[in-house]
Amino acid sequence: ERAKALNSSIVNIILKDLHPISIVEGKGFREFVELVEPGYQLPSRTFFTQMVEKKYLVTMQHIKAELKTSEKIALISDTWTSLATEAYMSVTARFITDWQLKSINLATKPLSERHTGENIVTFTEQVLENFELEPSCIYALVCDNGANMVAAARKLKEKYSWASIRCAGHTIQLVVNSALKVTTINRAVGAARCLVEHFYISEAASSALKTKQQQMAVPQHSLKQDVSTQWNSTLHMVTRLLEQRWLVIAVLSDLTMTAKSNQWSLLEEVKQLLEPFEVAPTYISGEKYVSLSTVPSLINALRKEMQPDAEDSPSTVNFKTVALEQMNNRWKFQNNHHHPSTASTENAIVVAVALDPRFWKLTFLNKNSTSATLSNTLSRMEVTESGQPKPTHKNAGSGTGSGKSSGEEERPVSAAIKQAVIDKMFSFEESSSEDSDEEQLSCVQKEAMQNFSEKPSSRDIDPLAWWKTNQERFPHLSKLARTFLPLPATSIPSERLFSVAGTIASRKWAILTPQHVDILVFLHSN
């Protein structure tokens, strides 16, 4: 028994700390084990590989069972290239079970074929098959704006009617990148980039900067380079360069760049312009809370920040103008249900906002179009003509997270009553006792209408906790809440796997097969 416990503990060390399985063959590790547990015979690497594979099979069965507890699931997907130039694609599932958000890594596998939209569709379908998920249980695919991912999302939408949601963080990055192309700002950022690169390349300049930092008791921070694939890296580069400005000038006594003092002033402006854009991606990338419904508020706040001011320099005005134009073109949160090309992402956002009690005032959305969007979505997804929920999973019936027994049915609601209930969500007045449709509602639905008319003013409400408390009052809309509130605003949950996969698919792990890379990432993440 002691040996079994030690073997299991070593497997946990490998998985949690991302050590290569070959660590068990290391001389130092063996000496450590002998010191801690004299007489224990450390098994071979093959033995631990088999243990990891068995753990994968057991964990996968648990994951399959957990996935069946959700009515609808959102998939988050992205592609990534390792240090060895091997292409991987990851798929993460996000859903609600018992009104708790869950994120589960389903797969991180190599893309042996070209990264075309068709191949990504095939890969996604294989992942669903491995976890015994019907395409009908998937509501949306969240991905970045890459042409291949967009093509795959379009094909999946045509084939299975999945909503396609573009990563809000990546879209914000595109907005910023466009605004940074303003000529004067682009020149200043380019000069800063060259300056930072000089200190990276020149050992003499780097050593001189460290010496000046010590002499002047300044934080001994290295300059940062910006990376095109990393959000906010330009802001971090400029911020660090401004922090070390006078030391850099002292080192570069020839004033190569500093002769243009206006560029330093412009970099100060760039820093202030970019700082608001750092907040939004940071917040909406969280995995432990509802995020999609916060996108309109954050974009609305960014729009206000980008309003030109009378005291702004021409470069700042140009930056703000381009940023505003990009945001207005990329996000339209009202009246978009008439445009199928844009409706998928933005209608999902509108519905998520309408179901989030933190945002029921909806002052930045059009009341009529939002109400119509919600009503249409409820009509499509709520119930079939017989009132039975549409099937979603293979072998479904073990539980939906709604708190209802498997044999209990919800009564179908007429379109007129349904619209009346939805209208209550956008009203700030107490419900009238003279409502013509109210007599037809059950007592529970009456309570729900009253509840929606008493809107909370606090933004600190946990929307999932609110729906858990009120799901019996509003059973049909709670179905929508379980579908739309878990939708993430970004594809970052999938991208975070890349750091794990990057660690595993490194030189130390070079002998691993792609299958074992998938197994190790799956077990580490779940």
Side-chain angles (χ1 to χ4, degrees):
E1 292 297 326
R2 177 64 175 171
K4 288 182 180 179
L6 288 170
N7 293 339
S8 179
S9 180
I10 291 172
V11 169
N12 286 335
I13 290 173
I14 291 171
L15 297 175
K16 291 182 178 180
D17 298 337
L18 297 176
H19 289 298
I21 300 177
S22 59
I23 189 177
V24 300
E25 296 180 337
K27 183 178 179 181
F29 185 79
R30 286 184 169 275
E31 289 176 351
F32 171 76
V33 170
E34 177 63 26
L35 177 65
V36 172
E37 191 70 21
Y40 166 65
Q41 295 297 317
L42 189 64
S44 66
R45 182 175 65 190
T46 301
F47 174 84
F48 286 105
T49 299
Q50 292 172 348
M51 281 196 68
V52 168
E53 291 172 348
K54 290 178 182 178
K55 189 176 181 70
Y56 171 77
L57 294 176
V58 172
T59 305
M60 192 171 186
Q61 292 304 316
H62 289 315
I63 296 298
K64 287 180 180 179
E66 188 170 17
L67 289 170
K68 286 184 172 65
T69 66
S70 173
E71 291 180 351
K72 289 291 183 179
I73 297 171
L75 294 184
I76 313 161
S77 185
D78 210 340
T79 56
W80 162 81
T81 302
S82 71
L83 295 175
T85 66
E86 295 173 327
Y88 285 84
M89 180 174 172
S90 67
V91 177
T92 300
R94 187 172 162 101
F95 56 96
I96 289 177
T97 179
D98 193 27
W99 294 105
Q100 296 292 320
L101 275 178
K102 297 282 187 178
S103 290
I104 293 177
N105 163 235
L106 300 183
T108 303
K109 295 181 180 291
L111 284 173
S112 55
E113 306 293 335
R114 293 177 57 220
H115 310 169
T116 63
E118 192 65 43
N119 288 335
I120 292 174
V121 169
T122 301
F123 174 91
T124 305
E125 291 173 332
Q126 290 172 350
V127 172
L128 295 184
E129 185 176 349
N130 290 342
F131 284 86
E132 300 176 4
L133 293 172
E134 293 286 1
S136 59
C137 77
I138 307 300
Y139 180 74
L141 175 68
V142 182
C143 60
D144 64 20
N145 293 270
N148 55 350
M149 296 302 298
V150 171
R154 183 174 60 251
K155 291 178 184 295
L156 288 167
K157 180 181 179 182
E158 294 171 354
K159 195 171 183 178
Y160 301 119
S161 300
W162 295 358
S164 172
I165 299 179
R166 306 287 176 83
C167 172
H170 188 252
T171 306
I172 289 174
Q173 183 183 17
L174 295 178
V175 170
V176 172
N177 288 347
S178 296
L180 285 173
K181 291 179 181 178
V182 171
T183 303
T184 52
I185 290 178
N186 188 44
R187 288 174 181 169
V189 172
R193 190 177 294 119
C194 292
L195 188 59
V196 171
E197 186 177 358
H198 170 69
F199 279 86
Y200 268 82
I201 295 175
S202 173
E203 176 66 26
S206 179
S207 298
L209 180 60
K210 291 179 181 178
T211 301
K212 291 291 185 182
Q213 289 172 335
Q214 294 173 352
Q215 292 174 348
M216 302 180 70
V218 172
Q220 297 184 35
H221 296 156
S222 300
L223 299 181
K224 291 186 175 182
Q225 288 181 308
D226 62 340
V227 182
S228 59
T229 57
Q230 293 182 4
W231 299 340
N232 308 326
S233 61
T234 299
L235 170 61
H236 298 158
M237 177 188 71
V238 171
T239 300
R240 181 58 56 82
L241 186 58
L242 290 170
E243 175 194 89
Q244 302 289 328
R245 172 181 178 178
W246 301 111
L247 301 183
V248 169
I249 293 175
V251 173
L252 299 176
S253 55
D254 61 349
L255 302 181
T256 302
M257 172 183 166
T258 57
K260 299 180 180 180
S261 59
N262 63 311
Q263 287 190 327
W264 285 106
S265 300
L266 192 52
L267 289 178
E268 290 279 5
E269 294 180 27
V270 170
K271 176 177 177 290
Q272 295 176 5
L273 288 167
L274 293 180
E275 283 176 337
F277 287 97
E278 185 177 35
V279 177
T282 300
Y283 179 78
I284 60 180
S285 62
E287 294 187 55
K288 304 298 184 182
Y289 49 82
V290 173
S291 60
L292 186 65
S293 58
T294 66
V295 170
S297 300
L298 290 170
I299 299 305
N300 193 48
L302 286 175
R303 284 173 174 154
K304 291 180 180 178
E305 288 286 339
M306 291 297 108
Q307 293 296 328
D309 188 88
E311 299 178 356
D312 288 341
S313 69
S315 297
T316 296
V317 170
N318 289 338
F319 180 99
K320 289 182 174 181
T321 301
V322 173
L324 273 174
E325 181 181 348
Q326 287 285 318
M327 285 189 285
N328 290 336
N329 289 338
R330 295 180 183 278
W331 280 291
K332 299 179 179 68
F333 298 118
Q334 54 188 5
N335 298 324
N336 57 14
H337 57 286
H338 299 299
H339 305 281
S341 61
T342 61
S344 179
T345 295
E346 284 135 5
N347 280 1
I349 294 176
V350 168
V351 175
V353 175
L355 294 167
D356 191 326
R358 296 172 297 176
F359 303 109
W360 269 334
K361 290 189 177 181
L362 302 173
T363 56
F364 47 84
L365 297 180
N366 179 278
K367 172 184 174 180
N368 293 331
S369 64
T370 303
S371 178
T373 297
L374 187 59
S375 179
N376 292 338
T377 305
L378 185 59
S379 296
R380 286 199 312 271
M381 297 184 57
E382 182 189 57
V383 287
T384 60
E385 292 182 358
S386 64
Q388 289 280 5
K390 294 182 180 180
T392 55
H393 294 278
K394 292 180 180 178
N395 305 321
S398 58
T400 64
S402 65
K404 292 181 176 296
S405 63
S406 59
E408 185 176 355
E409 298 180 9
E410 293 183 359
R411 295 193 314 157
V413 184
S414 71
I417 298 176
K418 196 179 343 182
Q419 187 61 50
V421 173
I422 292 171
D423 286 342
K424 293 293 180 181
M425 297 175 65
F426 299 92
S427 170
F428 300 128
E429 300 175 356
E430 294 292 333
S431 58
S432 170
S433 60
E434 299 178 357
D435 289 339
S436 59
D437 292 320
E438 199 167 300
E439 295 177 359
Q440 302 177 49
L441 295 174
S442 66
C443 295
V444 171
Q445 288 167 327
K446 287 182 181 180
E447 292 176 7
M449 292 178 66
Q450 174 70 15
N451 187 71
F452 271 91
S453 67
E454 298 172 353
K455 295 177 177 53
S457 58
S458 173
R459 294 294 177 89
D460 297 327
I461 294 174
D462 180 351
L464 298 184
W466 190 94
W467 277 105
K468 183 176 182 178
T469 302
N470 293 277
Q471 61 181 324
E472 297 298 332
R473 292 183 171 188
F474 231 144
H476 296 283
L477 285 178
S478 72
K479 284 180 175 289
L480 291 186
R482 287 193 293 273
T483 298
F484 284 89
L485 293 184
L487 296 178
T490 74
S491 60
I492 291 179
S494 186
E495 292 182 14
R496 286 195 177 108
L497 296 175
F498 297 162
S499 60
V500 176
T503 301
I504 292 175
S506 62
R507 293 178 181 86
K508 285 186 176 181
W509 299 78
I511 60 174
L512 282 178
T513 64
Q515 178 186 5
H516 283 129
V517 171
D518 181 35
I519 289 174
L520 290 166
V521 173
F522 179 85
L523 291 174
H524 175 80
S525 304
N526 297 323

